[in-house]
Amino acid sequence: MILIIGCNQKTNKPVKEKKQETRQNPVIKRIAELKAAGYEIVDYHAHLKGGLSMEELLDLSKKTGIDYGIAFNAGVGFPITDDVTLLANYNRYKDYPVYIAMQAEGREWVDMFSKENVSTFDYVFTDAMTWTDKKGRRMRLWIPEEVFVDDKDDFMDQLVGKIVGVMEDEPIDMYVNSTFLPEVLQPDYDNLWTNERMDKVINAAIANNIAIEINARYKIPSETFIKRAKAAGSKFSMGTNNTDKNLGTLDYAIEMIDECGLEPNDFFKPVKK
Ligand SMILES: [Zn+2]
């Protein structure tokens, strides 16, 4: 590739410089080092969204060294609402060299799909971004118009209760978009995620053998949370939750490996079925 990097000021002719095909991104370099040291670098929360094809994703994987788990959203209001559509998606993609995941949505999914079909997937995950509060208001926390915060602490206590409930009641391998707060509460993240609240989530994850996602898009959970969870013996996963073609390079998760001293054994490892 020839890049024009400026003009020679005396001759006014373009100055050309030969560059390598891919300029080395420091995160990609760090990913290669981590893999050499025994880490599996997998984005377990990738979606074929925004027109992203499996072929494009595999090309990207070659460039970055990141492996992928492709997740299909299933639940009320999503394209997959029954066993037939659930299995059709699995069968369409199962032979590709990626993990195939079910992203269970809302709280109703447990009764919508058979256990047998759910267990076909390499792993299953959900988040606690969709729930109904004690006044009966169904919220999707990423949509500001659907969020109701009458009192911050009361909201947090309900949220933590929902997260723990999801972990205790739903057969999942991974809790994603971990510790996500609606936009209105994000500036207070560090104050609202008190030690007591963090510990309730961490303890429930460990008790139910559920990995906690380090999410690269939202840059959550905080470093404080991750260090606390590691000290308690929690397992982690890395994920992006892309909404378009831009999958990035797991930058925040890679940064947290170094900042929090995470080791290969601290990470969740599914078995490819
Ligand atoms: Zn997702």
Side-chain angles (χ1 to χ4, degrees), residues 155-169:
F155 178 94
M156 286 304 295
D157 291 337
Q158 288 192 66
L159 172 63
V160 169
K162 293 292 170 185
I163 297 170
V164 170
V166 164
M167 289 178 171
E168 289 174 347
D169 300 340

Side-chain angles (χ1 to χ4, degrees), residues 45 47 49 71 73 103 105 125 127 176-177 241-242:
H45 191 170
H47 295 296
K49 288 182 178 171
N73 304 75
Q103 174 163 6
E105 298 284 352
F125 64 79
D127 58 37
V176 305
N177 302 321
N241 188 17
N242 60 304

